[in-house]
Amino acid sequence: MQNTVQVKPDIIWVGGNDRRVNRFENLFPLTHGMSYNAYVILDEKTVLTDTVDRSISVLFMENVKAALAGRQLDYLVIHHMEPDHCANIEAIVQAYPDIQLIGNRNTYKFLTQFYPAFAFNHFITVKEGEELTIGKRTLRFYMTPNVHWPEVMMSYEVSEGLLFSADAFGSFATIDGNLFSDEIYFPEGIIDEARRYYVNIVGKFGSHVLKALKKFSDLNITTILPLHGPIYRTPEHIGQILAAYQNWASYDFDKKSALILYASMYGNTENAVDILASQLAKKGVREIKVYDISDTDPSYLIAEMWQYSHLVFAAPNYNGDLFYKMDALIREALRLNLKNKKVSFISNATWGGLALKTMQGYFEDDKRFAQVGTPVEIPSAVCEGTVDALAALADELSASLTAD
Ligand code: FEO
């Protein structure tokens, strides 16, 4: 049975939720499912903006039909050709054979790659700033490559200032009846999952996100309609989510404190980081957070890294080199373009190895990072000498946190 929500008198949400999916992109764990948004606009012409993931195809097709209430569909605007949004294009074209598809050159390229056996006869290619008038409403198209894929574009509805923002401003988690951010606790109810979504999905492309934000800086935006998560329609929430994106895309930190990320095989490295955390707390450092990286998915850890000014990496040697989960975590964070951080290191070796050298190697000779303190090397277990070394590191970290 259809389940649609009225966004405006003539704009209808035709998306849905998948609560069975455990991982987004088969990669990022989901604890509360995923939403896929799509919208029908009813004007002199009818428009569908994007489709949804194939997991909710049946509901989606019912929703579109219900929203159209017997009318034909004139246009499908394709903002993003990733399958979580494009999986139903073929079904839509089959159901509404006279429909015209709207996208850019890359959209068409990806369309033919994802649907190699299907003939799309009615494709309109649009460029930056081109407009489509559908009656009283007009959509203006903005090219926003790499937010998140190269073909991504957004639409701005000029009469009311509605921004159809593709993946931007999206979030993990489902929409539980309350489609608008002002119907949920905001930002508490969503911001952690919005940040984790941003960092892991779009985080690498900060400069592209900043370019997109600049394009929109002169526009009067009254509503943001993303492809995932809540719709923003209050000036306060729009301001907050835009400011968060500006911060995240600039690789700025929210928390001037220490995030301690450790791997520990038998608890000795964990013992050292707990001692360091206690010493930092005694020196007045607040909001310290300690994570066992073996136990937490990297998507959460990297989203946390984005927030903190100072990162402490602590890991043992394994097979003569860095414990592989720490190695993978650092590499993935750097691949996502993590930068502008102060970094410190703790390693543990019973008989030598390259853990410390490898960790340091990822950050040295890189102006985007600065090392704080002398690295602490634990000889199997924490001893008096280790405690002194941890105290010295705590001194240097606290001085750096105070000075910066
Ligand atoms: Fe929601 Fe980049 O897809």
Side-chain angles (χ1 to χ4, degrees), residues 153 222 302 317 333:
M153 60 184 215
T222 62
I302 296 171
N317 282 279

Side-chain angles (χ1 to χ4, degrees), residues 24-25 34 80 82 84-85 148-149 167 197 201 227-228:
F24 183 67
E25 294 182 346
M34 195 69 194
H80 187 12
E82 189 164 359
D84 56 331
H85 309 294
H148 148 229
W149 280 10
D167 273 342
Y197 175 86
I201 305 296
L227 288 176
H228 303 283

Side-chain angles (χ1 to χ4, degrees), residues 366-384:
D366 187 336
K367 289 193 172 65
R368 301 171 307 167
F369 299 96
Q371 185 176 313
V372 173
T374 305
V376 176
E377 296 185 75
I378 308 165
S380 302
V382 175
C383 62
E384 290 300 326

Side-chain angles (χ1 to χ4, degrees), residues 168-179:
F169 314 112
S171 170
F172 293 130
T174 52
I175 287 165
D176 297 341
N178 299 123
L179 179 58

Side-chain angles (χ1 to χ4, degrees), residues 240-266:
Q240 280 176 279
I241 196 69
L242 285 171
Y245 261 62
Q246 185 73 33
N247 173 283
W248 300 336
S250 306
Y251 304 93
D252 279 345
F253 56 85
D254 298 327
K255 289 184 181 170
K256 197 172 180 185
S257 184
L259 175 68
I260 304 175
L261 302 160
Y262 78 89
S264 188
M265 293 160 64
Y266 295 103

Side-chain angles (χ1 to χ4, degrees), residues 357-402:
K357 198 166 184 287
T358 299
M359 277 193 285
Q360 286 180 301
Y362 284 123
F363 300 97
E364 66 192 4
D365 302 327
D366 187 336
K367 289 193 172 65
R368 301 171 307 167
F369 299 96
Q371 185 176 313
V372 173
T374 305
V376 176
E377 296 185 75
I378 308 165
S380 302
V382 175
C383 62
E384 290 300 326
T386 319
V387 174
D388 292 343
L390 289 167
L393 179 57
D395 276 340
E396 289 171 290
L397 268 168
S398 133
S400 170
L401 281 162
T402 311

Side-chain angles (χ1 to χ4, degrees), residues 115-263:
Y115 294 100
F118 201 77
F120 293 98
N121 298 321
H122 307 294
F123 188 89
I124 301 170
T125 305
V126 293
K127 294 192 180 120
E128 175 78 10
E130 272 187 46
E131 294 186 347
L132 174 76
T133 298
I134 55 172
K136 67 181 172 56
R137 294 195 183 275
T138 295
L139 296 175
R140 186 187 302 149
F141 305 109
Y142 288 93
M143 304 301 125
T144 52
N146 292 341
V147 190
H148 148 229
W149 280 10
E151 88 298 355
V152 167
M153 60 184 215
M154 301 185 195
S155 297
Y156 178 73
E157 195 288 311
V158 298
S159 71
E160 264 195 290
L162 317 176
L163 181 66
F164 294 87
S165 64
D167 273 342
F169 314 112
S171 170
F172 293 130
T174 52
I175 287 165
D176 297 341
N178 299 123
L179 179 58
F180 303 94
S181 70
D182 51 289
E183 296 176 341
I184 58 176
Y185 290 110
F186 184 84
E188 299 85 351
I190 197 75
I191 202 70
D192 285 345
E193 284 298 69
R195 184 189 306 102
R196 186 167 72 97
Y197 175 86
Y198 171 84
V199 168
N200 289 282
I201 305 296
V202 199
K204 182 178 177 59
F205 307 111
S207 62
H208 293 85
V209 174
L210 289 177
K211 268 186 207 155
L213 291 173
K214 194 155 188 284
K215 282 187 190 189
F216 304 137
S217 59
D218 291 334
L219 299 178
N220 174 35
I221 297 172
T222 62
T223 309
I224 297 177
L225 302 98
L227 288 176
H228 303 283
I231 293 172
Y232 298 90
R233 63 179 177 183
T234 67
E236 187 192 353
H237 289 184
I238 289 171
Q240 280 176 279
I241 196 69
L242 285 171
Y245 261 62
Q246 185 73 33
N247 173 283
W248 300 336
S250 306
Y251 304 93
D252 279 345
F253 56 85
D254 298 327
K255 289 184 181 170
K256 197 172 180 185
S257 184
L259 175 68
I260 304 175
L261 302 160
Y262 78 89

